[in-house]
Amino acid sequence: MTVTTRFAPSPTGRLHVGNIRTALHNWLLARQAGGRFLLRIDDTDRERSREEFVEAIREDLAWLGLHPDGEQRQSSHFETYENAFRQLVSSGQVYPCYETPQELDLMRKVLLGRGLPPIYDRGALKLTAEERAAKEAAGETPHWRFRLDHDSPIEWTDGIRGAQHFDPGQLSDPVIRRADGSWLYMLPSVIDDIAMGVTNVLRGEDHVSNTATQIQMFHALGAEPPRFAHEALLVGTEGKLSKRLGSLGVADFRDAGIEPAALVALLARLGTSDPVDPSLDADALASAFDLSRFGRAPARFDEAELERLNASVVHDLTYADVAERLPEGMGEAGWEAIRPNLSHVGEAGEWWQVVTGPIEQPDFDEEIRTYLSQAAERLAGQEWGDDPWHTLTGALKETTGRKGKALFMPLRQALTGRDHGPDMAALLPLIGKEEALERLHGASSR
Ligand code: GLU
């Protein structure tokens, strides 16, 4: 059977870092097995679902390089849900309930007050046909619950959490449909997972109790449940998912100059004790992906780590990778020279400006001005060659007796306006002889 995974976001907002991680892991799981990764837009909630978020989800996945092998939309499956619903109602596995939210709330409070678990008492199952008819006649429309089979203990081997066991008698029959006919997430998801041939459901541990009841829904619909795995939730370095981190999405990362490869490298391994390795490409990450490496402790998302990874990803990007994001005129030699100094591709412009000028030089004292004018003289007379920097500094070392910082720093400051930056040997050829001479003259005569 082809491994088929799915990512099933509700288009009620942008994807955040936790969703992105779930999407990535489903993608890796499918890719590793040569299977399919499907996108399912869970848009049964017509009020809250918005087309712009559907677009944004597609764009975000594309930016990350997670291309789905197919896309489905729940809003085009209503007829299928209706059919399955009718089937389950006629077999008695789905039943109508008439309690108002206030009544349910009161029942919960009473049970909790007695120290009992707030499990729905199945009062609606005790109604006679006449009582139901009377309610309907009085204009009461029911909501609908799935009747859990109390005689079938729920068990599965979770890909991350190991053996799981739930007593269905300790769970409330889940509401699957509201009185206005709209669907809750539980049943449509199962119907679609069956129809889409989903073999592996990998999602956050906030879905563990949903899985317990959904397993019985798979059986009620005559299907074998898929394999389930539930990942520990993501937390920030401060120990919980802060509001900021909880809403951090692709657009924020992109605007902050984070490369998709850095985010993918980090999220692929976050929650395992395997080292994060930014040099691994998607295939290498996929072949090494292993759910059994994931722990049950919350996975810590560290933005500082992401920044470090980003720098090392940037240092490996080729000119072809970034050409269209570079400033006008900056060629391959420019990229090669400047790349080691960048944490973000977007900083290239700042350094390119150092090459093309104008730059702002510091004021030098007289002794240094003399040195800089010696340098200008020397440079003017020198064969430019392949490595003008080493030719220049080699000669100045001999004639002036300067060495180390005293030799290099005034030159760097005069030529770039800065105390640090890319290797001068790479930078000077880019600045060019004429401009370099102008900068040295300028600095020595001020
Ligand atoms: N739409 C559901 C959610 O976003 C999908 C959960 C699932 O993966 O089944 O929570």
Side-chain angles (χ1 to χ4, degrees):
M1 202 164 27
T2 326
V3 167
T4 301
T5 65
R6 88 301 195 266
F7 173 52
S10 302
T12 54
R14 303 280 311 218
L15 300 182
H16 56 72
V17 60
N19 308 130
I20 294 169
R21 173 171 170 253
T22 303
L24 171 65
H25 290 179
N26 277 287
W27 182 83
L28 290 169
L29 206 57
R31 188 166 178 112
Q32 175 178 60
R36 295 182 307 152
F37 164 70
L38 304 176
L39 172 62
R40 189 181 77 207
I41 303 292
D42 280 5
D43 56 352
T44 53
D45 186 337
R46 294 187 195 243
E47 297 261 295
R48 292 176 58 226
S49 297
R50 297 232 302 269
E51 206 50 38
E52 66 182 271
F53 293 130
V54 176
E55 287 292 329
I57 289 166
R58 291 191 194 117
E59 278 167 23
D60 288 354
L61 292 180
W63 184 77
L64 290 157
L66 311 181
H67 302 288
D69 301 302
E71 182 183 312
Q72 302 262 337
R73 289 184 78 139
Q74 290 202 315
S75 57
S76 55
H77 298 171
F78 287 130
E79 207 179 301
T80 323
Y81 304 156
E82 199 65 50
N83 292 338
F85 173 74
R86 272 198 228 111
Q87 178 197 323
L88 293 173
V89 171
S90 62
S91 65
Q93 283 157 297
V94 162
Y95 62 96
C97 299
Y98 299 86
E99 296 89 353
T100 63
Q102 293 76 6
E103 284 166 343
L104 289 171
D105 197 41
L106 186 64
M107 282 158 59
R108 254 193 307 270
K109 282 188 181 137
V110 169
L111 288 169
L112 287 171
R114 292 201 208 126
L116 295 170
I119 302 168
Y120 174 61
D121 68 356
R122 293 187 156 177
L125 279 178
K126 296 173 196 107
L127 297 174
T128 62
E130 292 75 41
E131 285 169 325
R132 276 206 300 272
K135 286 185 181 290
E136 301 275 342
E140 285 182 47
T141 42
H143 57 276
W144 302 83
R145 287 187 192 260
F146 177 79
R147 182 178 181 168
L148 291 169
D149 178 359
H150 285 185
D151 298 326
S152 304
I154 300 166
E155 272 153 8
W156 79 90
T157 305
D158 193 283
I160 293 173
R161 300 163 66 85
Q164 301 290 298
H165 180 97
F166 281 80
D167 173 2
Q170 294 302 307
L171 302 170
S172 287
D173 288 341
V175 176
I176 53 129
R177 200 171 189 183
R178 300 185 189 88
D180 65 3
S182 64
W183 297 98
L184 281 106
Y185 143 80
M186 300 284 276
L187 185 63
S189 178
V190 171
I191 295 169
D192 285 334
D193 285 341
I194 296 170
M196 291 159 70
V198 171
T199 58
N200 297 66
V201 170
L202 171 58
R203 54 191 181 187
E205 67 182 9
D206 49 330
H207 283 289
V208 170
S209 61
N210 290 342
T211 296
T213 56
Q214 285 179 324
I215 282 179
Q216 286 209 347
M217 294 180 192
F218 278 97
H219 289 304
L221 292 165
E224 240 346 274
R227 286 162 181 262
F228 285 99
H230 296 86
E231 309 192 294
L233 298 182
L234 216 56
V235 296
T237 40
E238 67 286 355
K240 60 178 170 46
L241 190 71
S242 64
K243 213 166 163 192
R244 197 184 81 78
L245 183 55
S247 64
L248 214 54
V250 161
D252 303 296
F253 292 120
R254 193 176 33 209
D255 294 349
I258 298 295
E259 300 296 317
L263 192 58
V264 164
L266 178 61
L267 293 179
R269 298 235 162 133
L270 202 62
T272 73
S273 50
D274 295 337
V276 174
D277 183 349
S279 71
L280 296 181
D281 66 8
D283 281 318
L285 287 172
S287 64
F289 188 69
D290 181 357
L291 286 182
S292 72
R293 311 288 298 168
F294 286 83
R296 290 186 59 172
R300 262 173 218 280
F301 181 80
D302 181 351
E303 287 181 73
E305 188 180 7
L306 181 60
E307 284 293 341
R308 284 192 296 274
L309 287 168
N310 199 64
S312 69
V313 165
V314 169
H315 299 163
D316 278 343
L317 292 173
T318 64
Y319 176 65
D321 291 332
V322 294
E324 77 256 28
R325 292 154 68 193
L326 297 180
E328 179 87 26
M330 183 172 173
E332 184 156 7
W335 172 247
E336 301 280 333
I338 285 169
R339 180 175 68 168
N341 271 73
L342 304 180
S343 319
H344 305 106
V345 174
E347 294 153 12
E350 210 179 294
W351 287 112
W352 189 240
Q353 156 86 42
V354 166
V355 169
T356 57
I359 57 160
E360 216 170 290
Q361 295 164 319
D363 288 327
F364 297 102
D365 63 26
E366 205 183 322
E367 188 206 336
I368 291 185
R369 287 205 302 271
T370 310
Y371 169 51
L372 292 173
S373 92
Q374 285 173 301
E377 201 175 312
R378 167 69 223 187
L379 188 65
Q382 122 182 2
E383 192 73 49
W384 185 243
D386 287 342
D387 188 0
W389 175 253
H390 286 111
T391 314
L392 174 67
T393 51
L396 288 172
K397 188 174 179 178
E398 286 206 352
T399 52
T400 66
R402 285 176 176 263
K403 52 185 190 216
K405 205 175 162 190
L407 177 69
F408 302 119
M409 186 55 85
L411 295 174
R412 176 181 284 282
Q413 288 172 329
L415 289 167
T416 71
R418 302 183 180 217
D419 296 343
H420 66 92
D423 182 7
M424 287 303 299
L427 224 43
L428 187 55
L430 295 168
I431 294 171
K433 188 168 185 176
E434 203 180 315
E435 175 71 15
L437 280 174
E438 211 162 286
R439 290 183 191 181
L440 289 173
H441 283 308
S444 61
S445 60
R446 259 190 321 131

